[in-house]
Amino acid sequence: MKRELAIEFSRVTEVAALAGYKWLGRGDKNAADGAAVEAMRTMLNKVSMNGEIVIGEGEIDEAPMLYIGEKVGTGTGEHIDIAVDPIEGTRMTAMGQNNAIAVLAAGEKGSFLKAPDMYMEKLVCGPGARGVIDLNLGLKENIQNVARALHKPIESLVVITLAKPRHDAAINMMQNMGVRVFAIPDGDVAASILTCMPDSDVDLMYCVGGAPEGVVSAAVIRALGGDMHGRLVTRDQAKGETPENIEAGKLEAERCREMGVEPGKVLKLNDMASSDNVVFSATGITKGDLLQGIMRKGNIATTETLVVRGKSRTIRRIQSSHYLDRKDDDIKNI
Ligand code: VTB
Ligand code: MG
Ligand code: MG
């Protein structure tokens, strides 16, 4: 992939974040998502590439989306697969909570697992525990193995997870082991990346979250030298066995079969992200542990973006000031 694409994709997440930010705290997550999707699509279409969306988000909660199979870019140049989440944390954006980001991963054709929009159990660690995690084992055993690999007592291990009822038992179990648990409301992509950041005290990320978010995370975790396992889980397994969830779960299992992936099977990092030739970009919308949020004074907005180029493992943080009245009309009006 041309290295210039790293900068191009940083523009794409910047503009999505700026569009989402307009809806910050207004209680309407679909409006925020819709604006970010539209901005992302407009900007993607200015990039000279033959791009195709292979992972999008939106089906689970029927949000607006960049749909799977959608062609983006100018239609000239390299063939590139793209996984997007225009707002990772629509609820956080709508409710003015921390850690919402706009995110995208792009790679050479065939880089990413094609999985339906369903839930995924995920375990993510940084470079220090690479090769140690295994979702075939229980969470407790994984925590013990990671602590050993990092030469840390269990008491100083930090696991980040989502504060969802489905994790109550796991959170209890971990706290009883002596682990420190950071339970954030939403946003497991940013949480996963924290495991690989030298200036973060997070050692492990465990949760059942979205599969598209899982694949996006896999791309950046590979680029950062960390490790990840995933397992597709059906709706009834993730959310309880109500008749509706069982019905939805059956459809998901069927879609898995069509797409050639198996629910319940442990997916290794390489199964989800098979190439180093990737670019990852994330821009903060609300302030967070990974990225600063957007700040706006009058007509000037500032953004912070994390851009990772897998091939060289170059990690950039780009601070930008945007003069909003100078933006192209098609972006300005989003
Ligand atoms: C997951 C997680 C995301 O939303 O998709 C979650 O991967 C949705 O969980 O990071 P519920 O269906 O239980 O609400 C996020 O936390 C934010 O998009
Ligand atoms: Mg989203
Ligand atoms: Mg999301």
Side-chain angles (χ1 to χ4, degrees):
M1 277 171 73
K2 279 191 305 195
R3 58 149 68 88
E4 300 87 275
L5 285 174
I7 297 299
E8 295 283 8
F9 289 133
S10 76
R11 282 202 191 90
V12 173
T13 57
E14 275 180 1
V15 88
L18 287 167
Y21 175 81
K22 290 190 183 164
W23 291 92
L24 182 66
R26 300 207 182 280
D28 190 342
K29 62 183 193 146
N30 282 345
D33 215 13
V37 165
E38 212 33 68
M40 194 173 251
R41 177 180 282 127
T42 301
M43 208 50 144
L44 275 171
N45 283 333
K46 292 178 196 267
V47 179
S48 51
M49 62 173 172
N50 268 296
E52 182 178 341
I53 304 294
V54 295
I55 287 265
E57 189 232 28
E59 274 170 347
I60 285 182
D61 47 5
E62 277 158 13
M65 65 189 296
L66 274 150
Y67 60 88
I68 294 171
E70 181 171 345
K71 304 277 190 260
V72 291
T74 54
T76 52
E78 288 176 273
H79 286 266
I80 287 168
D81 281 353
I82 300 169
V84 296
D85 197 351
I87 297 187
E88 159 59 355
T90 50
R91 210 164 10 217
M92 291 117 93
T93 305
M95 302 311 285
Q97 298 168 342
N98 288 1
N99 286 313
I101 57 177
V103 21
L104 169 156
E108 58 187 10
K109 270 247 140 314
S111 297
F112 308 125
L113 175 79
K114 293 185 178 167
D117 193 356
M118 60 191 289
Y119 287 96
M120 180 190 269
E121 185 181 15
K122 318 168 195 184
L123 190 59
V124 183
C125 66
R130 204 165 124 192
V132 167
I133 54 168
D134 185 357
L135 262 188
N136 287 305
L137 306 175
L139 182 56
K140 190 170 190 175
E141 211 173 333
N142 272 294
I143 288 171
Q144 286 160 342
N145 292 344
V146 168
R148 200 171 310 118
L150 298 176
H151 308 290
K152 279 188 173 185
I154 295 281
E155 288 69 29
S156 63
L157 212 72
V158 175
V159 182
I160 196 162
T161 188
L162 302 182
K164 307 264 180 193
R166 60 179 173 273
H167 297 140
D168 284 351
I171 292 172
N172 248 319
M173 187 278 288
M174 291 191 279
Q175 288 172 336
N176 285 333
M177 280 179 84
V179 169
R180 282 199 288 163
V181 179
F182 295 174
I184 57 170
D186 268 305
D188 62 54
V189 177
S192 297
I193 296 171
L194 289 178
T195 63
C196 293
M197 290 291 153
D199 57 351
S200 148
D201 45 11
V202 172
D203 298 300
L204 207 57
M205 196 295 296
Y206 173 78
C207 79
V208 175
E213 284 88 343
V215 176
V216 172
S217 299
V220 61
I221 295 303
R222 180 182 176 126
L224 292 171
D227 204 357
M228 173 170 178
H229 275 195
R231 173 162 39 205
L232 294 169
V233 296
T234 53
R235 177 84 62 112
D236 47 313
Q237 290 168 332
K239 299 281 242 190
E241 295 182 354
T242 65
E244 280 160 13
N245 289 348
I246 292 174
E247 210 36 56
K250 276 189 195 143
L251 291 178
E252 288 168 349
E254 214 168 279
R255 288 201 63 201
C256 281
R257 269 188 296 279
E258 282 165 20
M259 293 172 93
V261 286
E262 227 181 283
K265 188 180 158 233
V266 171
L267 302 161
K268 299 204 163 103
L269 183 59
N270 194 55
D271 300 324
M272 294 182 278
S274 59
S275 169
D276 288 326
N277 202 5
V278 297
V279 170
F280 171 88
S281 178
T283 302
I285 302 173
T286 58
K287 74 168 185 285
D289 302 318
L290 182 71
L291 286 162
Q292 283 172 24
I294 291 176
M295 273 171 311
R296 189 167 167 181
K297 275 201 186 130
N299 239 338
I300 305 170
T302 56
T303 55
E304 187 182 30
T305 302
L306 176 75
V307 187
V308 184
R309 221 179 130 233
K311 210 169 180 185
S312 55
R313 197 166 285 168
T314 311
I315 304 166
R316 291 191 170 81
R317 278 177 187 274
I318 303 177
Q319 236 88 34
S320 311
S321 300
H322 304 267
Y323 285 73
L324 299 171
D325 53 341
R326 297 261 183 139
K327 295 279 181 201
D328 290 351
D329 284 342
D330 52 355
I331 295 296
K332 199 161 40 186
N333 299 326
I334 284 168

